[in-house]
Every structure is written in C-alpha cells, then in structure tokens.
Amino acid sequence: MENNIPTEEEIKAKLTPEQYHVLREKGTEAPFTGTYVHEKTNGTYNCMVCANPLFTSDTKFDSGTGWPSFDKAIEGSVLTVSDMSAGMERTEVVCGRCDSHLGHVFDDGPTETGKRYCLNSVCLDLEAK
C-alpha cells in the first residue's frame, strides 16, 4: 500500500461487491438506498478506498434525488472528468488520491456555489466528529 492507496487486490478484498462495482467499475447505487442519503451526523466523509477526506457534513444538503449531495468538496480532494456514458454528457467526480469513482457533479445546486455533488453512499465512510 503506497501513499495509503491499496493495491487493486487489496481494494477488492476490502470492499463488498457493490462497493467495488461502484468505486472501481463506475457503477451507481440505486436511489434512496444508500446509508448516507438522510444522514445528519456532523463529521467528514472520506473515500471508502483510501480514507482521503472528501466532504464535510456542513456542505451536505438534501437534494431530493436519492443520493447524498454536497455543494463543495474539500479543496484538492476530488477531481472531475468528462463522462459521455449513458447517452449524456456529465461530469464524473473521482477521488483525488486513488481515482475511485464517487458520483457526478452538476451545476444546479441550490446554494451560492451552484454545485450539486451527487455521490454514492457506498463510496463514502463518515468519520463522525
């Protein structure tokens, strides 16, 4: 494990099949099924693969979409990539440390940032304050 990034074999052994599918194969969990959709606990949401701090609870909001949504990432924690899959143009959000798929970001957020980071709960590990 170099720089806290596990090998692909370590990742596969650590994650559930659903987590592996979403994080490493760019899948999506079903809406309204994720652990963190309605979570209100204060803390930091970390990458499930490498524990990189990604989002803080004070940037989380209820978007009504069925996935945990945030209006701002921790600076330098995520990268965005053009995603032309599923017959549409979207912006994928990946972990800035291990390149794991987290979800997508849209420019329709209700806060001053205008962003809605729509993430899969299975990609996140909440570290409560």
Side-chain angles (χ1 to χ4, degrees):
M1 188 159 69
E2 184 178 317
N3 296 328
N4 292 334
I5 301 173
T7 66
E8 201 61 31
E9 294 79 28
E10 290 170 327
I11 292 170
K12 198 163 196 169
K14 172 184 178 177
L15 301 176
T16 67
E18 181 186 23
Q19 288 172 320
Y20 188 83
H21 174 66
V22 174
L23 283 152
R24 306 306 288 175
E25 298 172 339
K26 302 183 187 297
T28 302
E29 68 189 1
F32 299 102
T33 62
T35 304
Y36 299 126
V37 175
H38 300 293
E39 183 63 54
K40 304 267 191 242
T41 303
N42 287 331
T44 302
Y45 290 85
N46 301 323
C47 175
M48 184 57 77
V49 171
C50 70
N52 185 29
L54 304 169
F55 297 87
T56 57
S57 58
D58 62 335
T59 64
K60 187 174 185 290
F61 65 95
D62 184 358
S63 66
T65 61
W67 291 279
S69 297
F70 302 82
D71 69 356
K72 183 180 175 186
I74 294 172
E75 190 172 335
S77 67
V78 301
L79 300 172
T80 57
V81 180
S82 178
D83 177 2
M84 302 299 286
S85 67
M88 62 185 103
E89 184 176 352
R90 300 180 292 175
T91 302
E92 178 187 9
V93 179
V94 299
C95 175
R97 184 182 291 160
C98 70
D99 202 36
S100 289
H101 173 76
L102 303 172
H104 292 86
V105 63
F106 303 94
D107 291 323
D108 61 2
T111 70
E112 62 277 353
T113 70
K115 300 290 183 193
R116 175 174 54 94
Y117 289 87
C118 190
L119 307 181
N120 295 283
S121 286
V122 297
C123 300
L124 306 173
D125 183 29
L126 176 59
E127 184 180 335
K129 278 189 177 177

